[in-house]
């Protein structure tokens, strides 16, 4: 009775898992349906847009500062760690005329590790700036890591959260390590400390459509839409995205099938342990237990 119930449960789990795989395929989106908050489209926008003035205006809007010049340091910039450690690919890696480095990333869903992720990005960026054998830490440039999120990680309804290293005993004392981390929240409601243009920019990040751009009074938003629209509607880029989606789909399908297989084995093992325990509680002989476990 136990084994038949277990088999039925596992069969239902397998069917559910396979149905989920088919749903993944059914709900795949086209490139034209993505917004800038999706890292694929944002990375493509950075890769295909050579107008540095747009990124200069974007950073000025995001940070509420004025910058003389911005240069795209490297499109789709990859930073590799040691062979046994995970490297990173930066969505947008920019440098100001004062050598300040700017990293812009987008994230659609909360995985509960945003702060640690930003810390890891900071460590790898710093490491890349220090050649092997270099010990003059004053060479490290000022860095500002910006994450645009489609969720509110701190639940304070702010559009912008800015973090610096401040002394716990005296908040007027900063460490001045020139490491700043900024989180921009597309779902903000409290406009304290930000201007209307940033709010409209974040709205556009979340819904990058012609309609959103037309409704906006921001020249920056309209300029981004002008550059983004041909990318978003390009048959070539659309085809590349479908190939990318297919690759992700295959990887997910393989991972789910592997997970189902592992679950089947684990479920059977757990049922065998429960069966052996129950037989012992009922006073079954070792011979009877061995016979039952061999089936």
């Amino acid at each position: 009775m136990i084994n038949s119930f277990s088999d039925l449960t596992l069969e239902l789990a397998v069917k559910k898992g396979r149905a989920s795989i088919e749903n993944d395929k059914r709900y795949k989106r086209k490139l034209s349906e993505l917004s800038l908050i999706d890292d694929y489209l944002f990375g493509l926008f950075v890769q295909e847009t050579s107008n540095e003035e747009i990124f200069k205006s974007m950073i000025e809007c995001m940070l509420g500062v004025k910058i003389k010049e911005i240069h795209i340091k490297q499109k789709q910039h990859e930073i590799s760690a040691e062979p046994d450690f995970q490297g990173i690919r930066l969505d947008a890696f920019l440098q100001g005329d004062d050598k300040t480095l700017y990293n812009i990333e987008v994230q659609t869903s909360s995985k509960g590790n945003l702060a640690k992720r930003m810390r890891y990005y900071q460590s790898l960026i710093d490491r890349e700036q220090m050649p092997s054998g270099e010990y003059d830490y004053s060479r490290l440039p000022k860095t500002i890591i910006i994450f645009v999120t489609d969720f509110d990680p701190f639940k304070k309804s702010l559009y912008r959260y800015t973090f610096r290293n401040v002394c716990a005993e005296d908040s007027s004392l900063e460490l001045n390590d020139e490491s700043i981390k900024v989180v921009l929240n597309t779902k903000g409601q409290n406009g304290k400390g930000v201007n209307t243009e940033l709010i409209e920019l974040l709205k556009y990040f979340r819904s990058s459509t012609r309609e959103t751009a037309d409704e906006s009074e921001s020249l920056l938003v309209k300029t981004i839409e002008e550059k983004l629209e041909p990318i978003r509607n390009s048959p070539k880029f659309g085809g590349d995205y479908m190939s990318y989606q297919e690759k992700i789909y295959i990887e997910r399908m393989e991972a789910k099938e592997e997970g189902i297989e592992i679950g089947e084995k684990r479920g059977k093992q757990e049922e065998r342990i429960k069966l052996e325990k129950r037989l012992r509680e009922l006073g079954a002989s070792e011979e009877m237990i061995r016979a039952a476990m061999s089936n």
Side-chain angles (χ1 to χ4, degrees), residues 55-202:
F55 295 102
K56 173 180 174 291
S57 298
M58 186 182 292
I59 289 176
E60 288 181 332
C61 178
M62 288 176 167
L63 302 179
V65 298
K66 286 294 181 183
I67 303 170
K68 289 184 179 179
E69 293 180 3
I70 275 290
H71 305 286
I72 301 174
K73 191 169 175 62
Q74 188 175 337
K75 296 178 180 180
Q76 300 261 310
H77 186 62
E78 294 188 7
I79 301 179
S80 298
E82 296 293 338
D84 293 336
F85 293 90
Q86 180 178 337
I88 57 174
R89 180 181 63 81
L90 305 181
D91 290 340
F93 196 38
L94 312 150
Q95 186 174 51
D97 58 303
D98 61 349
K99 306 302 181 184
T100 297
L101 297 177
Y102 302 90
N103 170 217
I104 306 175
E105 301 289 326
V106 294
Q107 186 168 327
T108 56
S109 59
S110 176
K111 298 176 182 177
N113 61 358
L114 179 63
K116 294 291 181 69
R117 183 180 175 191
M118 297 179 85
R119 172 180 162 183
Y120 188 66
Y121 276 44
Q122 179 71 61
S123 68
L124 291 189
I125 291 173
D126 283 347
R127 177 180 177 145
E128 189 180 54
Q129 307 311 307
M130 295 288 286
S132 179
E134 176 63 64
Y135 297 101
D136 182 6
Y137 296 107
S138 65
R139 293 171 57 93
L140 285 173
K142 180 178 181 179
T143 58
I144 302 178
I145 297 177
I146 304 168
F147 266 70
V148 185
T149 65
D150 204 26
F151 56 93
D152 187 348
F154 307 108
K155 312 299 182 187
K156 297 293 184 180
S157 298
L158 296 176
Y159 285 99
R160 181 170 62 210
Y161 300 91
T162 303
F163 298 92
R164 294 181 174 88
N165 288 321
V166 176
C167 178
E169 289 77 15
D170 184 349
S171 59
S172 68
L173 180 62
E174 287 193 27
L175 187 60
N176 289 324
D177 60 349
E178 295 192 308
S179 167
I180 300 173
K181 298 173 181 65
V182 177
V183 178
L184 301 176
N185 168 28
T186 65
K187 295 186 177 178
Q189 296 177 349
N190 185 344
K192 179 181 179 181
V194 300
N195 56 36
T196 303
E197 187 171 44
L198 175 59
I199 295 174
E200 294 194 1
L201 177 63
L202 293 177

Side-chain angles (χ1 to χ4, degrees), residues 21-35 38-41 44 108 236-254 256:
I21 291 169
E22 291 304 313
N23 286 337
D24 284 351
K25 189 173 183 180
R26 189 178 300 122
Y27 292 113
K28 284 195 304 183
R29 293 182 296 169
K30 298 178 180 178
L31 181 66
S32 59
E33 297 172 326
L34 299 185
S35 292
D38 292 277
D39 60 354
Y40 188 94
L41 184 60
L44 188 59
T108 56
K236 177 187 179 302
F237 293 142
D240 291 344
Y241 180 64
M242 291 303 292
S243 297
Y244 167 79
Q245 284 283 81
E246 188 65 26
K247 178 183 176 183
I248 296 299
Y249 163 70
I250 291 172
E251 290 176 352
R252 284 180 178 174
M253 181 175 67
E254 291 175 347
K256 286 184 177 181

Side-chain angles (χ1 to χ4, degrees), residues 10 260-271:
L10 290 171
I260 290 169
E261 184 178 346
I262 291 172
E264 288 176 342
K265 291 179 179 178
R266 185 175 297 167
K268 288 179 179 178
Q269 172 132 15
E270 289 176 353
E271 291 300 336

Side-chain angles (χ1 to χ4, degrees), residues 202-250:
L202 293 177
K203 181 179 179 181
Y204 181 75
F205 258 82
R206 191 177 186 201
S207 176
S208 305
T209 65
R210 168 60 66 180
E211 290 75 19
T212 303
D214 287 344
E215 291 173 0
S216 174
E217 296 182 2
S218 167
L219 177 60
L220 173 59
V221 168
K222 295 182 185 299
T223 303
I224 294 174
E225 169 63 21
E226 181 182 338
K227 297 293 183 181
L228 182 62
E229 186 172 30
I231 295 173
R232 191 174 52 217
N233 296 316
S234 163
K236 177 187 179 302
F237 293 142
D240 291 344
Y241 180 64
M242 291 303 292
S243 297
Y244 167 79
Q245 284 283 81
E246 188 65 26
K247 178 183 176 183
I248 296 299
Y249 163 70
I250 291 172

